[in-house]
Amino acid sequence: MKVVHTNQAPQAIGPYSQGIIVNNMFYSSGQIALTPEGEMVQGDIQAQTHQVFKNLQAVLEAAGASLETVVKTTVFLKDMNDFAAMNEVYGQYFRDHKPARSAVEVARLPKDALIEIEVVALVKQS
Ligand SMILES: C=C(N)C(=O)O
């Protein structure tokens, strides 16, 4: 088991790692729209979704993975009315390669974020 850490994504805001590699699989923690400096992006669901993907790309790269090797995502939305707007941005990052996904509405997210996404990805062979 290997802990993944990068300064290119926000630091954990609780007792967890940004991600963990087990064998050749990478499990990310949920990413919210914090900048690497720890500031919450002040914007709508689309602005927050872009920041979440920036963070996911950073932790995936640190793990030796990428969006292309993601096999499963989970999307947590504060408001399911944001589903279509989130999908618009989500589809810009997963165009041809579309991992399996679950999307759910939750009562509340850390830092009162509008969205959180976690991923499971295959780590590329070195
Ligand atoms: C933001 C998180 N992933 C957390 O608090 O667990």
Side-chain angles (χ1 to χ4, degrees):
M1 187 170 83
K2 187 174 156 205
V3 171
V4 172
H5 179 263
T6 176
N7 290 325
Q8 305 304 307
Q11 303 309 297
I13 56 170
Y16 61 91
S17 301
Q18 290 170 324
I20 296 278
I21 296 171
V22 181
N23 296 324
N24 60 342
M25 298 305 294
F26 171 63
Y27 302 84
S28 86
S29 289
Q31 286 293 332
I32 56 177
L34 290 172
T35 65
E37 294 74 36
E39 298 296 320
M40 178 62 79
V41 165
Q42 295 305 322
D44 62 8
I45 184 67
Q46 296 204 326
Q48 290 208 3
T49 304
H50 279 297
Q51 184 63 46
V52 164
F53 270 96
K54 277 188 201 160
N55 297 342
L56 287 171
Q57 284 172 315
V59 292
L60 283 162
E61 185 181 343
S66 69
L67 288 178
E68 285 69 41
T69 70
V70 171
V71 295
K72 175 80 202 309
T73 75
T74 307
V75 178
F76 304 93
L77 291 169
K78 170 76 184 108
D79 183 349
M80 194 51 81
N81 290 318
D82 286 339
F83 186 69
M86 175 277 294
N87 274 334
E88 241 179 61
V89 176
Y90 186 100
Q92 294 172 28
Y93 293 89
F94 291 119
R95 289 178 184 275
D96 299 328
H97 171 58
K98 297 182 180 65
R101 187 181 91 178
S102 303
V104 296
E105 179 183 283
V106 295
R108 207 170 164 204
L109 287 164
K111 302 277 186 191
D112 284 322
L114 300 177
I115 182 166
E116 177 171 333
I117 302 179
E118 64 183 24
V119 300
V120 179
L122 199 56
V123 174
K124 296 168 199 162
Q125 303 298 321
S126 51

